Amino acid sequence: MSNNGLLSLRSTMAGTIVVVHVDGILDATTRDQFADRLDTEAEDHGPDLILDLGGVTFMDSRALGLIVHHWQRSTAAGGNFALVAVQYPTSKVMWVTGLSQRLPLFDTLDEALAAFAAEPSS
């Protein structure tokens, strides 16, 4: 777990899939902490990644860019990627940019895991 007062990151495993639980602010002040955690999880656990954004209180375009980067990295490596519990009021940038229509968004972790299970193996 890492916590700098603005952002708390905690990882759990759902079988072989890492789930990063994000609580707090995703912006320029926390970008490096968030980027480092996502890089570490990808290196340690492979390309499958779920981000639980239910605890996000604010997200800026830099954080969204980082999420898109990891989505592309994950899928390019043959992995699955999902965002769960994304809330419009705290993540408006996702809707303003139109990425809410492209990113794999799920209401719950169970829904994301079911989608992963339905994907054909690489």
Side-chain angles (χ1 to χ4, degrees):
M1 182 167 165
S2 62
N3 184 339
N4 70 0
L6 298 175
L7 179 66
S8 174
L9 301 168
R10 178 178 56 88
S11 298
T12 60
M13 297 299 295
T16 60
I17 301 164
V18 67
V19 181
V20 178
H21 305 269
V22 183
D23 293 297
I25 297 170
L26 289 175
D27 68 3
T29 63
T30 60
R31 186 187 187 289
D32 289 344
Q33 177 189 359
F34 189 44
D36 291 347
R37 182 55 163 266
L38 296 182
D39 288 340
T40 297
E41 296 301 350
E43 290 167 13
D44 291 351
H45 300 289
D48 290 334
L49 177 64
I50 296 175
L51 297 179
D52 179 348
L53 302 179
V56 170
T57 57
F58 175 79
M59 178 189 303
D60 74 3
S61 60
R62 289 183 195 123
L64 181 57
L66 183 61
I67 289 169
V68 169
H69 168 75
H70 279 275
W71 168 49
Q72 292 170 333
R73 177 179 172 182
S74 179
T75 56
N80 292 296
F81 182 90
L83 303 173
V84 299
V86 178
Q87 303 297 315
Y88 174 80
T90 58
S91 304
K92 288 179 190 173
V93 67
M94 215 176 280
W95 277 263
V96 170
T97 60
L99 285 166
S100 63
Q101 301 301 312
R102 301 206 50 214
L103 289 165
L105 304 178
F106 298 91
D107 289 335
T108 67
L109 178 58
D110 287 341
E111 289 175 7
L113 292 170
F116 281 24
E119 290 289 320
S121 298
S122 302

